[in-house]
Amino acid sequence: MCTRDRHLYQACLILMVILAWISGCTALKKSNPILPIREYEKLIVGDLNADYVGTQNCLAACHTHDKLKLFFDASTMGAQLRKESGMPLVDCESCHGPGSLAIQGLTPEQVAENLKQGIRTTCNFKSLINLKTLPATAQSLICLKCHTANATFNLHNWNAGIHAINEISCFNCHDIHAGPDLKVTPRDTGMLCLRCHQDVQAQFSLPSHHPLKEGRVYCVDCHNPHGGFAEHSLLRDTVKETCVQCHPDKRGPFLYGHADVAENCVTCHSPHGSVNSKLLNAREPFLCLQCHGGHRLNQEDGGSITAERARALYTRCTDCHSRIHGSDVPSASGAGRFIQ
Ligand code: HEC
Ligand code: HEC
Ligand code: HEC
Ligand code: HEC
Ligand code: HEC
Ligand code: HEC
Ligand code: HEC
Ligand code: HEC
Ligand code: HEC
């Protein structure tokens, strides 16, 4: 019936577009439900009938958490437990929620008695917040209670960052109980990041690659894992700024620059790795021929081009145009052709 007259046809079309749009939306919503922030806040309050009892009471009767406690005390967060530090106190309940119900009825005597009969006592941990099953946003909110953008400057862009949006939480990268050092060292980031970014791992295995495996470059030299203003969560505002941290000779400005092409290094280079030498996106001369017509050979040679010379012109342009990133020296014609 949609074909019967034009107006009806148009109406049908619009209806179909709207339906397609709505179904698209619901599909998005299902895979990635974003709730109002108060819903996540409710999830991290803990059991409303429980009270905060303090780390000493939590752990007095129980020795199974000794190692956790030792690690934690030795960490930066644990150091805040020292009253004289004057810093906010962080204890077990800051993250796990109020613990009175978890230890209700547990006394050191009873735990010792159980042990004599070979029974290992556990606290009623189900009354604590089940950190593992919380939605990612709620998990992060636990940390963000204290690590506000003001307190932890590099989290300024967290909420708008690609990781937060894709439901990656602080827990995915920071293992609170792995050891006394809460910091992720740059050296650790390789394995950490590649766990999820396997396509990137493949790129770093190509014949020409930044020396990540060799331990000379790290993901966090170029990316901010907490998100940033720049595209691809780059550490600096632009690709060029990111690269010239370590390649300052490419910064310029040059008297003869390669137009604004050189502003974006990834026009010619693959930052992680490439099958071509020098991380190039394409082999020479094809790289250059994407933008430049074939060389106008006979201008400066007066037409005396041998077959061999012509071939040379078409293999490695940078044999002659060696200052490809820019030069301060004019070429023979007085123009800037990156010859020297
Ligand atoms: C900064 C937040 C934070 C603090 C403070 C904290 N924890 Fe945890 N704890 C976590 C997170 C996050 C997990 C694990 C979630 C996961 O595995 O995904 C966890 C897991 C645990 C587990 C389960 C370990 C396992 O292998 O399943 C125990 C037990 C525990 N914590 C005890 C403690 C004790 C005792 C303290 C105080 C000394 C403490 N936690 C302080 C965040 C914290
Ligand atoms: C109750 C407040 C509080 C909570 C909740 C909290 N932190 Fe902390 N955290 C601190 C304080 C205070 C410090 C030490 C001062 C600092 O470095 O900012 C700290 C330090 C750290 C450090 C080490 C920084 C360094 O320079 O060594 C990391 C990493 C960290 N926290 C991660 C987390 C994660 C991940 C969570 C959530 C699981 C979390 N924190 C939850 C208060 C908190
Ligand atoms: C994708 C992995 C990843 C996620 C997710 C992540 N972090 Fe980090 N975080 C890192 C890495 C890597 C470093 C070390 C940064 C560096 O060396 O430049 C770090 C450093 C830190 C530090 C120490 C500050 C410093 O200057 O070293 C704190 C505090 C911290 N993160 C808190 C958090 C909190 C809170 C969250 C969640 C809101 C979070 N992080 C989410 C990877 C992550
Ligand atoms: C030398 C700097 C540098 C290093 C080191 C680096 N990256 Fe990148 N990365 C970039 C640049 C620049 C881009 C943007 C590329 C573009 O615009 O085409 C990018 C893009 C990405 C992207 C999105 C595009 C894609 O290829 O999927 C991901 C994901 C990524 N990097 C992850 C990582 C991880 C994980 C590591 C560490 C194992 C890492 N990067 C190390 C510079 C770097
Ligand atoms: C738990 C899994 C996980 C871990 C660990 C992880 N990422 Fe990601 N990362 C993701 C997801 C999911 C996305 C969004 C989808 C995508 O673009 O691949 C993403 C996106 C990115 C992007 C942006 C890509 C773009 O196109 O803009 C960069 C850059 C990136 N991650 C770098 C890192 C770095 C650096 C680390 C280590 C510090 C890291 N990631 C650790 C899951 C992870
Ligand atoms: C943290 C420092 C660092 C940053 C940032 C960095 N590089 Fe590098 N780059 C290196 C190191 C180290 C090498 C290896 C040099 C060597 O082996 O002599 C290298 C090598 C290269 C090479 C030559 C590869 C070869 O096969 O000889 C190119 C091209 C390159 N980088 C481009 C870039 C680009 C483009 C960016 C920005 C996306 C960038 N670099 C960012 C450290 C860095
Ligand atoms: C127009 C394409 C092009 C652009 C844009 C470009 N490069 Fe290159 N780059 C090349 C070519 C071609 C080579 C290989 C030269 C050779 O083999 O002698 C190279 C080589 C390199 C090298 C290794 C050799 C050396 O000179 O140190 C580094 C490092 C490098 N580029 C960094 C950068 C950085 C950083 C940027 C961005 C500011 C950038 N490149 C932008 C084409 C480009
Ligand atoms: C993404 C496009 C692009 C690529 C790739 C590229 N160039 Fe260029 N190149 C330009 C632009 C744009 C100019 C400025 C043209 C102008 O001012 O007339 C330029 C200028 C030049 C000039 C100076 C020309 C003149 O008239 O002053 C030379 C020489 C040159 N490029 C050589 C190369 C070589 C060699 C390569 C390969 C290594 C290369 N270019 C790769 C876009 C590119
Ligand atoms: C044998 C050395 C040599 C090789 C190889 C070479 N060039 Fe040139 N090129 C020159 C010289 C010399 C000039 C003129 C310089 C002057 O103006 O003084 C020039 C000029 C240019 C110009 C500006 C003049 C014009 O034609 O508009 C461009 C663009 C250029 N070359 C691109 C390329 C490209 C792309 C390649 C590789 C396909 C290449 N060149 C290979 C020597 C070479």
Side-chain angles (χ1 to χ4, degrees):
M1 63 96 164
C2 273
T3 46
R4 207 174 306 145
D5 75 64
R6 235 181 77 225
H7 292 290
L8 198 62
Y9 174 69
Q10 275 173 356
C12 274
L13 208 67
I14 291 168
L15 196 71
M16 269 149 62
V17 169
I18 290 174
L19 276 177
W21 184 69
I22 289 173
S23 61
C25 283
T26 46
L28 255 181
K29 273 208 147 160
K30 251 188 214 135
S31 64
N32 197 4
I34 297 176
L35 306 173
I37 196 77
R38 62 170 182 277
E39 297 302 326
Y40 298 116
E41 276 169 356
K42 281 184 207 157
L43 292 173
I44 64 167
V45 182
D47 193 317
L48 291 176
N49 297 316
D51 271 330
Y52 286 88
V53 292
T55 292
Q56 283 321 315
N57 286 322
C58 273
L59 300 179
C62 182
H63 294 285
T64 52
H65 298 328
D66 281 358
K67 203 166 109 213
L68 285 182
K69 170 96 166 60
L70 277 178
F71 281 161
F72 192 69
D73 283 353
S75 74
T76 0
M77 267 200 279
Q80 312 307 312
L81 281 168
R82 275 186 274 119
K83 291 228 168 55
E84 65 272 21
S85 71
M87 303 276 277
L89 295 181
V90 188
D91 64 16
C92 314
E93 290 169 307
S94 306
C95 297
H96 290 283
S100 68
L101 292 180
I103 58 162
Q104 206 168 38
L106 279 185
T107 59
E109 296 76 34
Q110 197 210 324
V111 173
E113 185 59 32
N114 284 352
L115 204 60
K116 268 187 218 148
Q117 295 165 24
I119 304 168
R120 233 183 101 236
T121 320
T122 58
C123 66
N124 176 17
F125 56 83
K126 295 225 164 69
S127 69
L128 299 169
I129 301 173
N130 191 344
L131 292 173
K132 290 184 188 178
T133 59
L134 288 178
T137 311
Q139 290 180 336
S140 294
L141 209 53
I142 290 179
C143 314
L144 294 169
K145 283 193 296 189
C146 301
H147 293 281
T148 57
N150 279 339
T152 309
F153 191 75
N154 60 1
L155 289 170
H156 245 88
N157 295 308
W158 169 257
N159 285 320
I162 187 130
H163 281 135
I165 288 170
N166 282 277
E167 306 206 348
I168 305 299
S169 90
C170 320
F171 298 10
N172 286 118
C173 299
H174 295 283
D175 188 346
I176 296 295
H177 297 305
D181 195 357
L182 294 165
K183 265 197 166 162
V184 185
T185 65
R187 195 169 281 278
D188 294 335
T189 56
M191 286 316 291
L192 170 69
C193 310
L194 294 176
R195 212 173 58 209
C196 297
H197 293 288
Q198 276 154 16
D199 50 335
V200 175
Q201 177 163 29
Q203 290 162 357
F204 274 106
S205 304
L206 293 172
S208 170
H209 56 261
H210 259 123
L212 181 95
K213 287 181 293 188
E214 293 79 359
R216 293 169 67 201
V217 172
Y218 305 108
C219 310
V220 290
D221 285 330
C222 297
H223 295 288
N224 185 343
H226 303 117
F229 289 115
E231 258 189 294
H232 301 298
S233 305
L234 287 179
L235 205 55
R236 302 294 145 121
D237 290 343
T238 62
V239 171
K240 181 170 175 177
E241 281 306 315
T242 306
C243 305
V244 298
Q245 293 176 91
C246 300
H247 301 292
D249 56 318
K250 310 288 186 288
R251 182 191 291 273
F254 299 104
L255 211 48
Y256 305 101
H258 202 152
D260 47 5
V261 198
E263 288 304 308
N264 191 355
C265 315
V266 298
T267 312
C268 298
H269 295 288
S270 310
H272 301 149
S274 165
V275 290
N276 307 303
S277 66
K278 310 279 181 203
L279 302 169
L280 290 174
N281 293 338
R283 218 179 272 270
E284 285 187 65
F286 307 108
L287 175 73
C288 316
L289 295 176
Q290 292 173 89
C291 302
H292 296 286
H295 209 276
R296 283 202 249 115
L297 304 172
N298 36 16
Q299 269 174 353
E300 57 281 344
D301 289 278
S304 60
I305 297 289
T306 61
E308 196 190 346
R309 187 126 163 69
R311 246 195 322 277
L313 287 175
Y314 278 96
T315 48
R316 267 180 54 94
C317 314
T318 50
D319 278 348
C320 299
H321 299 284
S322 58
R323 310 289 302 176
I324 195 64
H325 303 96
S327 159
D328 292 326
V329 183
S331 52
S333 71
R337 265 89 198 241
F338 323 134
I339 303 287
Q340 53 180 324

